[in-house]
């Protein structure tokens, strides 16, 4: 059973930076493209960044140029470096496979406010 544990969220001022981490348990991590999702209150969960097994990346237009996804297979961890944060980036952030086949973790909350 794969377990996802997100961390690194917090309160940051507009323009600030955060680095999120997602630790993935289980032996199948290296076989899956992974993604970071976010869900703001009252909104649907959206996929904001993806990284393939070969480390090719893609981003939602809303975060392109500000967010960077990466993975470290030896540590079975996916990262999301966020810079230039805006109030509209505030949400609960989750990682999962691109196909979202794993049970969702608890997420990590990002608050952007002055």
């Amino acid at each position: 059973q794969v377990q996802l544990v997100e961390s690194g969220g917090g309160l940051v001022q507009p323009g600030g930076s955060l680095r999120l981490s997602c630790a993935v348990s289980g032996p199948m991590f290296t076989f899956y493209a992974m993604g970071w999702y976010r869900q703001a209150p009252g909104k649907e969960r959206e996929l904001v960044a993806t990284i393939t097994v070969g480390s090719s990346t893609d981003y939602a237009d809303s975060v392109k140029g500000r967010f960077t996804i990466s993975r470290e297979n030896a540590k079975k961890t996916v990262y999301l470096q966020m810079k230039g944060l805006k109030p509209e980036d505030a949400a609960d952030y989750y990682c999962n496979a691109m196909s979202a086949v794993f049970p969702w973790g608890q997420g990590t909350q990002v608050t952007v406010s002055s």
Side-chain angles (χ1 to χ4, degrees):
Q1 179 80 349
V2 172
Q3 187 175 14
L4 306 170
V5 179
E6 299 92 348
S7 61
L11 171 64
V12 63
Q13 292 185 343
S17 299
L18 282 175
R19 188 195 194 204
L20 308 183
S21 298
C22 172
V24 183
S25 67
M28 304 300 289
F29 173 74
T30 55
F31 295 99
Y32 283 87
M34 297 293 296
W36 278 96
Y37 301 74
R38 68 185 181 188
Q39 186 169 21
K43 295 187 177 181
E44 292 189 356
R45 189 171 291 171
E46 62 171 335
L47 179 62
V48 297
T50 61
I51 185 165
T52 67
V53 170
S55 293
S56 295
T57 59
D58 198 12
Y59 301 91
D61 287 343
S62 58
V63 307
K64 200 170 292 184
R66 300 186 298 119
F67 289 12
T68 302
I69 187 172
S70 60
R71 65 191 296 161
E72 193 169 354
N73 288 338
K75 293 186 176 181
K76 292 195 286 187
T77 301
V78 186
Y79 303 98
L80 186 68
Q81 178 68 53
M82 305 186 295
K83 298 180 180 180
L85 283 161
K86 304 175 181 180
E88 53 263 41
D89 294 318
D92 291 327
Y93 283 73
Y94 304 84
C95 72
N96 208 317
M98 275 183 64
S99 53
V101 293
F102 302 141
W104 293 96
Q106 84 287 350
T108 187
Q109 187 174 55
V110 172
T111 303
V112 185
S113 175
S114 55

